[in-house]
Amino acid sequence: MANYGYQGAYSTTNYGAQAGAQEGGGFMSGSQQGSQENSSKTYGQESLRPVTIKQIIDAQQPHPEAEFKIDGSDLTQISFIGQINSVTKRATNILYKLDDGTGLIEVMQWVNSDVDPDTVQPTAKEGEYLRIFGRLRSFNNKRSVTAHMIRPITDFNEVSYHLLEATAIHLYFVRGPPDSINDGGVKADPGTGMFVDSYDGAANGAMGASAKKLPAKMSAGAKTVFGLLQSAPQSNEGLHVHSIAAQLSMTSNDVFKAGDELLGEGLIYTTVDDETWAVLEY
Amino acid sequence: MSELISTPRILTPHLDSFTSRTVRLIGKVVQLRGDQATIDCSGNVTALLNRDAHLTVGHAVEIVGKVNNDLTVKVLSATDLGREGGIDFEAVNAVVDATHRYKEIFYSTD
């Protein structure tokens, strides 16, 4: 939708005190990593956080003019949804009161006077859901959001989606990142990383120990074959499929399947030919 | 105005714990009888409609209303959400679950 040219005025109002810092501050760090502990204003660290209206109302402001914080992390841009409680059209702006079931907040959208009134999008009505992108402000102890963009929600599932996303981000800040799901195989398990250990445990032929280091989704066959490749005496050419099949009393077909899995994960490699494998170690 | 008037999202099994509170229910319109409607929100609930509520059987609806002591819901506002097939009720129920599990960002209990 429309983009309103109010940025300049807005910045000076809110960040007047930091005008000096603002000039150079924007790109000083050049870092994309949001370091939340950093109390100095770093305009290069803008983020867009999905929130509920209750979070907006509960956001802390350590001192007037300071950045708002939710869950201890600075708020810059926010995004939320809400059902329109009331709309007030004024000469220079439109004021919405939005309710998302968690609270009520005023959202102000500047009206762009340059735009031909005839082409202006019709104002949303009471009861409709809107998606807001904006910035939280406090004026005379009253919180409101200045919207950068407002668009109507046409698919109600976006409301569910947003509330779940806001929950996920809240939990991210409160509890830290979720445990990485071990779908990449080797990489995701730093404690028993395959490429730092060199399978010492497996040298004893202890199948259990070696199996532990394999990604959990490996089939039993793959684990067995891997265990044998680690423990069986062999030249640096590794073992041939038929030899593996004979030692484990498996069919060649099963050994090939297991081999494919292990090859796919980069746990073994082919040596003299496609049917001779050795454990990838360094 | 930053006020904290929350309308927690609930399902039929939660009605008990929310009597005389204003809540939000999302469900399917099962039946209409005059000024009453049966809404399925993981269980049927009887909604006492106001004049502005325009429900359609087979559509999903979001109701903001007050839970009476007999566990009927007095509708304050109702929003038609279109045909029920367009709504992912698993997501809706997940939101209700999150609402009560992590109520700190959804509603206050007093």
Side-chain angles (χ1 to χ4, degrees):
Chain A
M1 285 177 92
N3 191 6
Y4 304 101
Y6 64 88
Q7 286 288 7
Y10 165 69
S11 303
T12 27
T13 325
N14 241 25
Y15 301 120
Q18 281 83 23
Q22 194 177 2
E23 275 168 9
F27 305 103
M28 226 151 29
S29 73
S31 158
Q32 295 297 314
Q33 293 290 336
S35 135
Q36 305 297 350
E37 299 77 31
N38 196 344
S39 59
S40 67
K41 295 220 171 181
T42 38
Y43 290 86
Q45 293 176 349
E46 292 279 320
S47 63
L48 174 65
R49 178 163 178 187
V51 293
T52 65
I53 292 175
K54 181 169 190 293
Q55 285 180 293
I56 299 175
I57 294 164
D58 291 346
Q60 287 128 31
Q61 194 178 26
H63 54 90
E65 298 293 306
E67 221 50 279
F68 284 97
K69 279 175 187 283
I70 294 181
D71 301 330
S73 78
D74 280 350
L75 266 200
T76 47
Q77 319 272 348
I78 51 175
S79 154
F80 59 99
I81 52 99
Q83 195 171 21
I84 304 175
N85 220 307
S86 69
V87 189
T88 316
K89 260 190 154 172
R90 299 196 286 215
T92 56
N93 60 57
I94 304 173
L95 198 67
Y96 296 96
K97 265 195 181 183
L98 293 188
D99 179 358
D100 69 350
T102 73
L104 204 58
I105 189 104
E106 278 188 0
V107 175
M108 193 187 48
Q109 184 182 35
W110 292 102
V111 173
N112 191 344
S113 52
D114 298 341
V115 173
D116 177 4
D118 296 338
T119 65
V120 167
Q121 309 246 6
T123 314
K125 291 180 203 64
E126 278 91 354
E128 284 178 34
Y129 269 98
L130 297 178
R131 162 74 79 169
I132 311 291
F133 296 90
R135 203 181 265 269
L136 176 56
R137 331 199 295 158
S138 183
F139 184 68
N140 289 341
N141 279 327
K142 195 175 130 181
R143 290 196 183 170
S144 67
V145 170
T146 317
H148 302 164
M149 200 198 91
I150 293 182
R151 78 173 157 71
I153 288 180
T154 49
D155 181 347
F156 182 79
N157 294 317
E158 184 174 346
V159 173
S160 305
Y161 163 73
H162 170 79
L163 294 170
L164 293 174
E165 189 189 22
T167 310
I169 301 299
H170 164 67
L171 292 175
Y172 178 91
F173 281 111
V174 172
R175 299 186 179 175
D179 296 331
S180 28
I181 293 144
N182 194 346
D183 55 359
V186 195
K187 282 171 242 149
D189 198 355
T192 56
M194 307 223 61
F195 294 108
V196 270
D197 294 0
S198 52
Y199 311 127
D200 334 294
N204 315 330
M207 207 81 93
S210 65
K212 242 188 276 169
K213 293 172 183 167
L214 294 172
K217 62 169 185 178
M218 285 272 130
S219 70
K223 285 179 184 162
T224 319
V225 170
F226 188 71
L228 179 78
L229 282 167
Q230 283 183 310
S231 54
Q234 54 193 283
S235 69
N236 57 5
E237 286 176 7
L239 292 175
H240 191 266
V241 168
H242 294 307
S243 162
I244 297 171
Q247 290 187 51
L248 294 173
S249 345
M250 289 166 73
T251 65
S252 305
N253 203 10
D254 286 343
V255 176
F256 272 118
K257 264 191 231 157
D260 279 345
E261 254 182 82
L262 295 165
L263 287 165
E265 290 292 334
L267 299 172
I268 60 169
Y269 66 106
T270 57
T271 56
V272 287
D273 58 38
D274 283 350
E275 300 178 358
T276 310
W277 305 325
V279 170
L280 186 61
E281 257 176 318
Y282 35 85
Chain B
M1 197 75 74
S2 44
E3 299 154 49
L4 199 52
I5 310 162
S6 50
T7 48
R9 289 172 171 78
I10 64 164
L11 298 170
T12 304
H14 299 104
L15 284 170
D16 258 354
S17 342
F18 286 87
T19 46
S20 70
R21 275 204 67 160
T22 306
V23 297
R24 242 164 230 264
L25 286 155
I26 295 160
K28 306 161 194 168
V29 183
V30 180
Q31 200 181 40
L32 288 171
R33 294 180 308 276
D35 60 352
Q36 287 195 7
T38 306
I39 319 279
D40 175 11
C41 320
S42 298
N44 284 350
V45 58
T46 303
L48 311 176
L49 304 176
N50 61 12
R51 277 189 201 138
D52 306 328
H54 298 291
L55 305 191
T56 313
V57 173
H59 277 212
V61 68
E62 181 182 53
I63 283 173
V64 179
K66 201 172 164 189
V67 184
N68 296 320
N69 287 328
D70 60 357
L71 304 190
T72 57
V73 175
K74 182 175 182 284
V75 175
L76 302 173
S77 82
T79 312
D80 187 285
L81 304 176
R83 299 199 59 82
E84 59 177 73
I87 301 297
D88 184 343
F89 282 97
E90 251 175 71
V92 168
N93 295 352
V95 172
V96 174
D97 182 63
T99 299
H100 302 286
R101 204 180 286 261
Y102 310 110
K103 55 180 74 147
E104 65 269 23
I105 68 166
F106 287 104
Y107 66 98
S108 45
T109 37
D110 41 294

